[in-house]
Amino acid sequence: MESALTARDRVGMQDFVLLENHTSEVAFIENLRKRFKENLIYTYIGSVLVSMNPYKDLEIYTKQHMDRYRGVNFYEVSPHIYAVADNAYRSMRTERRDQCILISGESGAGKTEASKKVLQYYAITCPASEHVQTVKDRLLQSNPVLEAFGNAKTLRNDNSSRFGKYMDIQFDFKGAPVGGHIINYLLEKSRVVHQSHGERNFHIFYQLIEGGEDDLLRRLGLEKNAQQYQYLVKGNCPKVSSINDRNDWKIVRKALSVIGFTDDEELLNIIASVLHLGNVQYGGEDSGSAYITTETQIKYLARLLGVDGTVLKEALTHKKIIAKGEELMSPLNQEQAASARDALSKAIYGRTFTWLVNKINGSLAFKNASVIGLLDIYGFEVFQNNSFEQFCINYCNEKLQQLFIELTLKSEQEEYEAEGITWEPVQYFNNKIICDLVEEKFKGIISILDEECLRPGDASDITFLEKLENTVGGHAHFLTHKLADGKTRKIMGREEFRLIHYAGEVNYNVNGFLDKNNDLLFRNLKSIYLSICLAKLMEILMSKEPSYVRCIKPNDAKQAGRFDEVLIRHQVKYLGLMENLRVRRAGFAYRRRYETFLQRYKSLCPDTWPNWDGRLVDGVSTLVKHLGYKPEEYKLGRTKIFIRFPKTLFATEDALEVRKHSLGMSYSQKTKYRKMRQSAIKIQAWWRGILACREAKRRREAANTIRRSVFIKGFIYRHQPRCPENEYFLDYVRYSFLMKLHRSLPKTVLDKSWPTPPPALVVVRYICHESVIKTIIDSSRCEMRDYAFLLFTGFRAAPDSLTTSVLSVGISVSSLSDGMFVLHVACEDNKQKGDVVLQSEHVIEALTKVAICAEKMNSININQGSIKFNVAQGKEGIIDFTSGSELLIAKAKNGHLSVVSTAD
């Protein structure tokens, strides 16, 4: 926090507690506005985090940001959800006490995203192993599954959670996440059968229709068109541009696999059965009894649910009545049958959701672990028309607000007591009076509702309202049209009652209260949740050390950068933020441990600068006296200093800013700099010496290694015949020479300026005569090294002399690739057989060798069309050369030898 105080005029306060005018709602909202415009979406109220939904991606959730907040004191860095997550984690590890993070706010404020960020933080920063990684994956993948089955598009949010979720993240003794457990609350099952205009059913239905494979949909009896299903078109909004149902379906299927759903056939059967139930239609007989007109849907339902079709039809058109111990089946009319169908659909989906949560819990189960709980639940809801659902949700938030204030006051009081500071009682609005109005036995609203549902006779929503007027009509927080004054009656309906919650006034329409309370769906919701689960939730939260995240949405249009002050003021009120700030500021605005305070401000007092060697409390006392703190401005506790007014802290901060400039060129700083420079030079010299010693040692070891190696032995034995001692050296010498020769070949094949081969290459030296030609080194040409000697049978003993004698005229060769050449021999008598006509695949190598041996390098004639040669006894022969596609040698009609060959 301190790091941002110097920039408070630009980005407001990082902590609302430091607002000078902390009782002003205008100042509070203006501080939110300043920070929101700078994309600073997080602000503290003490240890409470206020989060604004930016409706855009911000680069503040990277691995680098996680590392920045990991293991750092809560106030040392700027406000962030990671700071809350890390603080809870470190408290769990060091204090060995379970923690919980309560995330609240209305739909679209970013509660679900906040809980995701907490899970991601633990998944990435906590210790891991193969098993732990599996658990992390399952924890993260539980989110898309629960969102698919529990979230829906509403008017306020395209991905609104329509259930409350409490998740325990379980950690082992090493601090690694090893399991989890989820408790779900208040699933809005009425959405299964009805949606307001512009809203959708739960995501999973649309994902299945849009993304399901053709074979799967065929098996489920579904069509790839959401318009065909009554439960999906009530809100007239089957498609939403911001939602990709097809892609989300793939994500959900993958998540189910990670969690452990090896076969999701049963789950999908149930989801499909709900859609088929919605398409069950009724007709009416003359007697008024209902009958089913859509037999196809019954066939699908019987197969998907695994029940008898006849029994199912009867259940959808009759109700069971027990009279005098006998069971009777009474037919339903069309309206009653439709209600029974819808009730069954809601019950099926509700139980499926509970089963799904239990399945996820089974894959995450772990015992004997420390936990951090995450509560993501509906925020306070006020709509134009508020029914039984909003009544339950707002009652829950009323209880959470009561807990919030109690725990906040409790933590403040405990801190003061631990520090030995006198606690001054704080006056605050205690909403216990509202909770009692709703839940008190025999005379609370819930008890009256139960009693009216069980009362014999013609009970209705209106009789329930009348009963409320008679029983709680005099309550200060209850009002109806009948009890209101003339001005209020104009804006209140006759079927409404008003509750004055801590967050403000809400009008509830009683239409449907009795039906929903009688319905198994809402009976479970009311009796189990409101009586047992809510009490259990309160018990869970009270047993843990709480942290709070309050989420605010800046506008209803989900637009980035738009700040709707009226909407935000409403949320600030019903989230109880001003109340929380007032409680926090009732004592002291700022508190820090002595070591932290002294370290930051010690330069402001000569007696504490540069170091304080005594007790910390004495050092702080000396410092604040030097700064001129008045007794009413601060208190010294056992380990902390408490400063009552922000202006006192700001004056200290301003003095520190001035002091920083003077410290920059002070004598003490120069002296410290010189000492640090001298120390650095000594360390550098010492380190250079260490490095030099290491290098010398490395070189000695390398030299010894070389001396001991076979390479040295090979050099010593290099003139000896090949043996184990020199074979590696000789091979290396040959390789080096050949590679050098390869890199510097002579210009022409007749060039004699070749490098001298080493003794190890005696074979190559013999082949090359005086020099080695690169073309003969190639393996394919080495076989021609004696080719010139093999041209003349019987002359191998002395090839050089013989060649010189027989080759006195010259050599003729064609320009084609026929491989033929003529050796012209001087004719000394008529018995001589004439010139020699030869053919070779290696004609170039052969001619080169012969020419070198005979010293006739300039006697090679290349002919274009024909070659004349002596046959015998003065006769002359002619060879004609013609270009063609393939080699062909034959005697022509004119007596010439005809050679057809390709051009080279």
Side-chain angles (χ1 to χ4, degrees), residues 412-685:
E412 286 285 300
Q413 184 174 357
E414 287 178 349
E415 183 175 25
Y416 289 163
E417 290 176 353
E419 292 293 326
I421 304 296
T422 302
W423 169 256
E424 300 176 4
V426 178
Q427 297 298 322
Y428 68 97
F429 172 66
N430 189 343
N431 63 338
K432 182 178 184 298
I433 185 173
I434 304 173
C435 295
D436 289 344
L437 171 62
V438 176
E439 68 186 5
E440 192 173 3
K441 288 185 177 181
F442 306 119
K443 56 181 180 179
I445 294 175
I446 293 177
S447 294
I448 296 171
L449 181 60
D450 279 344
E451 182 180 340
E452 194 66 12
C453 288
L454 298 174
R455 180 176 65 85
D458 295 329
S460 67
D461 296 321
I462 298 301
T463 61
F464 162 63
L465 182 61
E466 292 172 351
K467 187 74 172 288
L468 286 179
E469 291 171 338
N470 294 333
T471 308
V472 297
H475 199 285
H477 291 265
F478 177 85
L479 191 66
T480 65
H481 182 276
K482 179 180 177 180
L483 301 174
D485 55 30
K487 183 179 180 180
T488 305
R489 287 181 180 180
K490 294 179 180 179
I491 57 175
M492 254 188 103
R494 295 181 180 275
E495 299 173 340
E496 293 181 339
F497 68 90
R498 175 179 295 177
L499 289 184
I500 305 174
H501 292 278
Y502 77 91
E505 301 173 348
V506 182
N507 293 345
Y508 297 101
N509 193 312
V510 296
N511 285 332
F513 262 56
L514 263 65
D515 287 341
K516 294 173 181 178
N517 194 53
N518 273 321
D519 190 344
L520 179 61
L521 160 72
F522 288 101
R523 183 176 296 276
N524 281 341
L525 174 68
K526 182 266 308 173
S527 63
I528 296 177
Y529 172 71
L530 297 182
S531 300
I532 301 174
C533 290
L534 186 55
K536 184 178 180 181
L537 176 61
M538 296 299 116
E539 182 182 346
I540 290 173
L541 299 181
M542 288 292 287
S543 67
K544 294 176 172 58
E545 190 70 26
S547 300
Y548 303 95
V549 179
R550 296 292 191 239
C551 298
I552 297 176
K553 67 176 182 179
N555 60 79
D556 275 328
K558 301 183 279 290
Q559 294 180 359
R562 179 178 168 184
F563 190 93
D564 187 336
E565 185 172 330
V566 174
L567 177 64
I568 291 171
R569 181 180 291 109
H570 178 63
Q571 294 172 83
V572 167
K573 182 177 182 180
Y574 73 62
L575 285 172
L577 300 184
M578 295 302 298
E579 188 81 357
N580 176 242
L581 175 57
R582 198 167 65 82
V583 168
R584 177 78 177 186
R585 277 294 303 271
F588 298 86
Y590 176 91
R591 62 208 70 183
R592 284 295 179 273
R593 298 187 67 84
Y594 289 143
E595 56 266 33
T596 304
F597 187 83
L598 191 60
Q599 179 64 31
R600 181 166 181 80
Y601 301 113
K602 64 182 180 180
S603 63
L604 298 178
C605 175
D607 295 329
T608 58
W609 177 255
N611 293 301
W612 175 261
D613 297 326
R615 294 193 312 158
L616 291 174
V617 62
D618 295 335
V620 172
S621 178
T622 301
L623 175 59
V624 297
K625 287 179 181 177
H626 177 79
L627 293 174
Y629 282 18
K630 297 178 182 179
E632 66 272 15
E633 292 180 331
Y634 75 99
K635 293 287 183 181
L636 296 179
R638 293 188 176 93
T639 64
K640 297 179 181 179
I641 179 175
F642 292 77
I643 298 177
R644 190 178 297 276
F645 307 116
K647 64 181 180 181
T648 306
L649 180 64
F650 294 155
T652 306
E653 275 291 320
D654 292 338
L656 178 62
E657 286 299 309
V658 175
R659 178 63 173 160
K660 283 179 179 179
H661 294 290
S662 61
L663 286 175
M665 296 301 293
S666 66
Y667 174 79
S668 59
Q669 287 297 99
K670 289 182 179 179
T671 303
K672 183 178 180 181
Y673 170 76
R674 292 192 187 100
K675 289 182 179 179
M676 292 177 64
R677 185 173 183 273
Q678 292 172 357
S679 300
I681 292 173
K682 289 181 180 179
I683 292 173
Q684 289 169 355

Side-chain angles (χ1 to χ4, degrees), residues 545-827:
E545 190 70 26
S547 300
Y548 303 95
V549 179
R550 296 292 191 239
C551 298
I552 297 176
K553 67 176 182 179
N555 60 79
D556 275 328
K558 301 183 279 290
Q559 294 180 359
R562 179 178 168 184
F563 190 93
D564 187 336
E565 185 172 330
V566 174
L567 177 64
I568 291 171
R569 181 180 291 109
H570 178 63
Q571 294 172 83
V572 167
K573 182 177 182 180
Y574 73 62
L575 285 172
L577 300 184
M578 295 302 298
E579 188 81 357
N580 176 242
L581 175 57
R582 198 167 65 82
V583 168
R584 177 78 177 186
R585 277 294 303 271
F588 298 86
Y590 176 91
R591 62 208 70 183
R592 284 295 179 273
R593 298 187 67 84
Y594 289 143
E595 56 266 33
T596 304
F597 187 83
L598 191 60
Q599 179 64 31
R600 181 166 181 80
Y601 301 113
K602 64 182 180 180
S603 63
L604 298 178
C605 175
D607 295 329
T608 58
W609 177 255
N611 293 301
W612 175 261
D613 297 326
R615 294 193 312 158
L616 291 174
V617 62
D618 295 335
V620 172
S621 178
T622 301
L623 175 59
V624 297
K625 287 179 181 177
H626 177 79
L627 293 174
Y629 282 18
K630 297 178 182 179
E632 66 272 15
E633 292 180 331
Y634 75 99
K635 293 287 183 181
L636 296 179
R638 293 188 176 93
T639 64
K640 297 179 181 179
I641 179 175
F642 292 77
I643 298 177
R644 190 178 297 276
F645 307 116
K647 64 181 180 181
T648 306
L649 180 64
F650 294 155
T652 306
E653 275 291 320
D654 292 338
L656 178 62
E657 286 299 309
V658 175
R659 178 63 173 160
K660 283 179 179 179
H661 294 290
S662 61
L663 286 175
M665 296 301 293
S666 66
Y667 174 79
S668 59
Q669 287 297 99
K670 289 182 179 179
T671 303
K672 183 178 180 181
Y673 170 76
R674 292 192 187 100
K675 289 182 179 179
M676 292 177 64
R677 185 173 183 273
Q678 292 172 357
S679 300
I681 292 173
K682 289 181 180 179
I683 292 173
Q684 289 169 355
W686 174 80
W687 183 244
R688 282 195 295 268
I690 292 293
L691 293 178
C693 291
R694 290 179 179 176
E695 178 65 17
K697 180 180 179 182
R698 187 186 68 81
R699 292 189 177 190
R700 283 195 301 271
E701 292 175 350
N704 292 333
T705 301
I706 293 173
R707 291 190 185 100
R708 291 193 298 268
S709 70
V710 296
F711 192 82
I712 300 300
K713 289 183 179 180
F715 177 79
I716 296 172
Y717 289 92
R718 67 187 182 280
H719 298 302
Q720 301 297 323
R722 188 177 183 86
C723 61
E725 287 78 6
N726 67 8
E727 59 181 358
Y728 175 79
F729 179 81
L730 295 179
D731 290 342
Y732 177 78
V733 169
R734 291 190 183 106
Y735 171 78
S736 299
F737 173 75
L738 294 174
M739 292 303 296
K740 181 180 179 182
L741 187 63
H742 171 71
R743 289 191 293 270
S744 56
L745 286 173
K747 301 290 185 182
T748 68
V749 296
L750 301 180
D751 188 355
K752 292 186 177 182
S753 60
W754 295 70
T756 303
L761 289 174
V762 292
V763 176
V764 176
R765 181 178 56 189
Y766 170 73
I767 295 172
C768 300
H769 188 54
E770 293 179 353
S771 305
V772 180
I773 57 173
K774 177 62 179 68
T775 54
I776 297 178
I777 294 175
D778 187 279
S779 60
S780 65
R781 298 184 177 184
C782 282
E783 63 183 0
M784 291 304 300
R785 61 193 179 193
D786 294 322
Y787 186 84
F789 306 145
L790 300 177
L791 296 176
F792 310 103
T793 304
F795 296 102
R796 296 179 183 172
D800 290 352
S801 61
L802 179 60
T803 304
T804 301
S805 64
V806 301
L807 189 60
S808 59
V809 179
I811 304 171
S812 295
V813 64
S814 77
S815 61
L816 303 179
S817 59
D818 50 79
M820 297 188 68
F821 62 97
V822 177
L823 299 178
H824 299 286
V825 182
C827 188

Side-chain angles (χ1 to χ4, degrees), residues 227-418:
Q227 298 281 2
Q228 298 296 319
Y229 301 97
Q230 296 300 312
Y231 284 164
L232 304 185
V233 295
K234 295 292 183 67
N236 196 27
C237 186
K239 288 187 179 294
V240 182
S241 59
S242 63
I243 299 176
N244 188 332
D245 294 309
R246 187 185 301 273
N247 186 60
D248 291 344
W249 169 255
K250 296 177 182 178
I251 295 174
V252 170
R253 292 298 293 271
K254 180 180 177 181
L256 287 170
S257 176
V258 171
I259 292 172
F261 284 79
T262 55
D263 185 6
D264 53 13
E265 181 178 342
E266 291 185 4
L267 179 62
L268 298 180
N269 284 352
I270 295 174
I271 298 303
S273 70
V274 172
L275 294 178
H276 286 300
L277 268 174
N279 282 4
V280 171
Q281 301 296 319
Y282 294 95
E285 298 178 349
D286 294 339
S287 61
S289 300
Y291 65 91
I292 294 174
T293 61
T294 49
E295 292 293 332
T296 303
Q297 304 299 330
I298 298 298
K299 292 179 181 178
Y300 281 128
L301 284 167
R303 179 171 59 82
L304 294 172
L305 295 176
V307 298
D308 182 84
T310 304
V311 175
L312 178 62
K313 287 176 62 176
E314 186 177 28
L316 290 172
T317 55
H318 293 75
K319 65 178 179 180
K320 185 182 295 185
I321 299 176
I322 301 177
K324 297 181 180 181
E326 290 188 39
E327 290 186 357
L328 301 175
M329 298 300 294
S330 174
L332 302 172
N333 59 34
Q334 282 183 261
E335 183 179 352
Q336 292 171 332
S339 297
R341 174 202 62 199
D342 291 346
L344 178 60
S345 299
K346 292 182 288 187
I348 288 175
Y349 194 83
R351 294 195 178 197
T352 302
F353 189 80
T354 301
W355 173 84
L356 181 64
V357 171
N358 291 336
K359 183 79 172 179
I360 295 174
N361 287 337
S363 71
L364 298 173
F366 190 85
K367 295 182 179 180
N368 301 323
S370 300
V371 302
I372 296 179
L374 277 176
L375 179 64
D376 173 8
I377 201 165
Y378 291 113
F380 199 86
E381 289 192 346
V382 183
F383 298 130
Q384 187 172 0
N385 181 38
N386 302 287
S387 188
F388 189 78
E389 295 90 339
Q390 281 66 50
F391 172 76
C392 295
I393 291 167
N394 293 344
Y395 165 60
C396 178
N397 276 272
E398 198 78 55
K399 293 291 288 184
L400 287 174
Q401 173 66 9
Q402 183 183 29
L403 176 68
F404 177 51
I405 294 297
E406 287 179 0
L407 291 179
T408 302
L409 287 171
K410 180 183 177 183
S411 63
E412 286 285 300
Q413 184 174 357
E414 287 178 349
E415 183 175 25
Y416 289 163
E417 290 176 353

